Amino acid sequence: MGWTVDPVPQAALFHYSEDPSIQYFDPHVPATNPGAEPAVWAIDALRAPLYWFPRNCPRVAVWANDGVQQERLERMFTTTSSRVQAVPLEWAEAIESCALYEYRFDAEGFVPNLEAEGQWVAHQRVQPMSTARVGDLLVRHRDAGVELRLLGDLRSLRDAVVESGLPFSIVRWAG
């Protein structure tokens, strides 16, 4: 899904990895999108919770960008949060034990990736300004006001999210 709001210039962007030793990020073509132009991908702070998981963890997220969307989100997904994220229940232990690192980039040189809300791309080598361990991912979600759901099956939620008319993201979906 593309952007549902206009991109806002950022001071900093982020990348998340279980590898704490990355010195530089070089543009590459992702294996999941071989037709893409080589790039370095980053996420803005507002959508960063999409990546507070082990890399291969399947996840579905839906959120509201304004009051009208918030009302729809509350009604359709029975929540008071402005963001709902769900993962398969079998990933609970991996999430709890994940050592995830946040790479912070200067946003200069990045442009919005129009195919995915919150994502930005650079087409040159990028050196992070800093790297820090994220800490407890469940606490991070809670402190950010993100409702995290652990579900036995994501399919019905995924279908409801796609049909909702709300901004959403589906990552590492295998079926």
Side-chain angles (χ1 to χ4, degrees), residues 106-165:
D106 182 331
E108 189 173 324
F110 282 86
V111 296
N113 174 3
L114 298 179
E115 295 177 12
E117 185 170 308
Q119 290 188 12
W120 297 72
V121 293
H123 299 287
Q124 70 281 341
R125 175 179 268 195
V126 177
Q127 182 175 10
M129 294 188 305
S130 65
T131 305
R133 186 160 179 182
V134 172
D136 186 316
L137 298 178
L138 299 176
V139 170
R140 184 84 178 245
H141 279 85
R142 182 199 69 207
D143 290 351
V146 175
E147 182 176 317
L148 180 59
R149 298 179 182 181
L150 300 167
L151 302 176
D153 186 357
L154 293 180
R155 274 175 254 188
S156 61
L157 181 67
R158 180 211 51 203
D159 293 347
V161 162
V162 170
E163 295 297 320
S164 72

Side-chain angles (χ1 to χ4, degrees), residues 34-174:
E37 184 178 350
V40 173
W41 279 265
I43 192 80
D44 64 24
L46 191 58
R47 280 62 151 215
L50 294 170
Y51 295 95
W52 295 345
F53 298 97
R55 179 175 176 80
N56 291 319
C57 179
R59 54 210 180 258
V60 174
V62 61
W63 61 90
N65 287 325
D66 60 34
V68 171
Q69 290 179 351
Q70 182 63 40
E71 289 177 15
R72 186 180 313 146
L73 183 72
E74 289 176 7
R75 184 179 66 255
M76 294 183 75
F77 298 99
T78 317
T79 187
T80 57
S81 177
S82 63
R83 175 178 294 278
V84 174
Q85 299 191 152
V87 298
L89 184 57
E90 62 264 20
W91 277 85
E93 188 175 319
I95 293 168
E96 288 175 348
S97 64
C98 181
L100 191 68
Y101 295 86
E102 178 181 84
Y103 288 86
R104 183 181 188 94
F105 302 135
D106 182 331
E108 189 173 324
F110 282 86
V111 296
N113 174 3
L114 298 179
E115 295 177 12
E117 185 170 308
Q119 290 188 12
W120 297 72
V121 293
H123 299 287
Q124 70 281 341
R125 175 179 268 195
V126 177
Q127 182 175 10
M129 294 188 305
S130 65
T131 305
R133 186 160 179 182
V134 172
D136 186 316
L137 298 178
L138 299 176
V139 170
R140 184 84 178 245
H141 279 85
R142 182 199 69 207
D143 290 351
V146 175
E147 182 176 317
L148 180 59
R149 298 179 182 181
L150 300 167
L151 302 176
D153 186 357
L154 293 180
R155 274 175 254 188
S156 61
L157 181 67
R158 180 211 51 203
D159 293 347
V161 162
V162 170
E163 295 297 320
S164 72
L166 293 166
F168 70 89
S169 175
I170 301 170
V171 177
R172 301 287 183 209
W173 187 265

